[in-house]
Amino acid sequence: MANNYDAWKVSVTDFEEQKSDYDKLLFFLRFGILAPSSHNSQPWEFQIDVEKLSINVFKSKVRVLPVGDPNDDLSYVSIGCTVENIVVTADYFGYTVSVVYEENPQIELCAILQFTQDHSKSIDSSHLIHQIKRRIVNRGKYEQRNLPDEFLEKIQKFSTTDHKVVLIQDSQTIADIGKIANYASIQLMSSYLFRRELSTHVKNNFTESYVGIPAFGMQIPGILSLIVPNLIKLFNMDKFSEKQNTALFTKYTPEIIVLTSKNNTKKDKLIIGRMYQNIALNAISQDIKTSPWGSVSVYSESNKELQKVLNTEFYPEFLFRIGYNNKDPHHSPRLLVNSVIKK
């Protein structure tokens, strides 16, 4: 029996069983690895330093997307998401985490997390740790209703001098962005090498793999899911679904958020990942769903077009749909935490 979903069984109550500092840091990582990642590639590895009470976070040399993400843009965003999960988890259990980013893109080290136990364990039932297991990418149709003003005001406060949360509510602008996003996806899928790589990450719904996206995440039912990887490899499926994807933006996307950065560096992408994950956790706490559209991040022509539509000098790092949908797919599988620990 495959245990490729066992990582999701972690519970906050398990922390009491962790006696050593190593076990406590490892426990924080069990929540960290529940972060989203492009194609569910899970491009992270960790090194625990008990003496320094720290965790080094690395980009995996293996679980990356050399064709679909040649500059590691989405890998860094994904790693930023797992860093945010770790920070949120540690905070709940009384630890403050200092994050030092490694800015050199030529090395795999991404961040050093330094832990200090300096406050009491939280008893707040609204703490974001309780949303980590609830968060899920929902690629479905969103209801045409606006998000609460209080929520939007909160997430827009995440903007800083170098990183901005750009909220789009105008229907025409959303439609224009939809055209850009669809064009990017179609262009990427026109490459056989891209389709071949993607086909290895899209799995049937009965998969025993620990990585990749089961087809139910794309709303594809059981039997049909068995042939989906081959269809993706052979055909430009985004070309076939262009009309459907256009409607997704024009009819079923009330709001879009684009996270932008001033400098477009490795560090910026890690920070953007943390921003997205925090927004996603805050969103799911109010039953609001999110759905990233990664093709715009990696297809440079469309990225420049998006920058024009947004009328900004900042670099569009990460685009996602956001809204209400009461149907959730199952979680994607995860590698068990011990398999992503560097020795």
Side-chain angles (χ1 to χ4, degrees), residues 171-184:
S171 59
Q172 184 57 57
T173 306
I174 290 173
D176 291 342
I177 292 174
K179 291 179 182 178
I180 294 170
N182 284 324
Y183 179 79

Side-chain angles (χ1 to χ4, degrees), residues 136-183:
I136 193 166
V137 172
N138 187 313
R139 299 179 177 87
K141 300 175 180 179
Y142 293 162
E143 300 173 20
Q144 279 291 359
R145 59 175 169 132
N146 293 332
L147 304 181
D149 290 339
E150 183 180 354
F151 169 76
L152 295 177
E153 290 171 4
K154 180 177 183 178
I155 64 173
Q156 286 181 304
K157 290 179 180 178
F158 293 174
S159 291
T160 66
T161 302
D162 294 336
H163 307 93
K164 303 296 182 183
V165 177
V166 182
L167 173 67
I168 298 97
Q169 297 175 298
D170 174 70
S171 59
Q172 184 57 57
T173 306
I174 290 173
D176 291 342
I177 292 174
K179 291 179 182 178
I180 294 170
N182 284 324
Y183 179 79

Side-chain angles (χ1 to χ4, degrees), residues 31-45:
F31 278 89
I33 62 174
L34 302 182
S37 59
S38 181
H39 298 357
N40 194 30
S41 55
Q42 303 167 57
W44 43 68
E45 291 182 344

Side-chain angles (χ1 to χ4, degrees), residues 94-111:
Y95 291 77
T96 296
V97 184
S98 171
V99 181
V100 177
Y101 299 99
E102 171 53 59
E103 301 189 42
N104 185 350
Q106 302 304 316
I107 63 177
E108 278 71 38
L109 179 65
C110 292

Side-chain angles (χ1 to χ4, degrees), residues 13-76:
T13 59
D14 297 338
F15 185 74
E16 304 304 324
E17 302 172 10
Q18 316 308 314
K19 303 304 180 184
S20 69
D21 286 338
Y22 180 89
D23 288 341
K24 290 175 182 178
L25 294 178
L26 187 68
F27 179 82
F28 297 158
L29 293 180
R30 292 179 66 190
F31 278 89
I33 62 174
L34 302 182
S37 59
S38 181
H39 298 357
N40 194 30
S41 55
Q42 303 167 57
W44 43 68
E45 291 182 344
F46 309 97
Q47 187 177 62
I48 295 175
D49 188 327
V50 176
E51 290 186 6
K52 295 181 179 179
L53 203 63
S54 66
I55 296 175
N56 296 336
V57 185
F58 296 85
K59 175 174 66 69
S60 170
K61 294 181 179 180
V62 178
R63 293 185 303 280
V64 289
L65 307 169
V67 179
D69 185 26
N71 298 317
D72 295 320
D73 297 326
L74 294 176
S75 288
Y76 291 137

Side-chain angles (χ1 to χ4, degrees), residues 70-86:
N71 298 317
D72 295 320
D73 297 326
L74 294 176
S75 288
Y76 291 137
V77 171
S78 302
I79 292 168
C81 291
T82 197
V83 168
E84 185 64 15
N85 269 10
I86 295 166

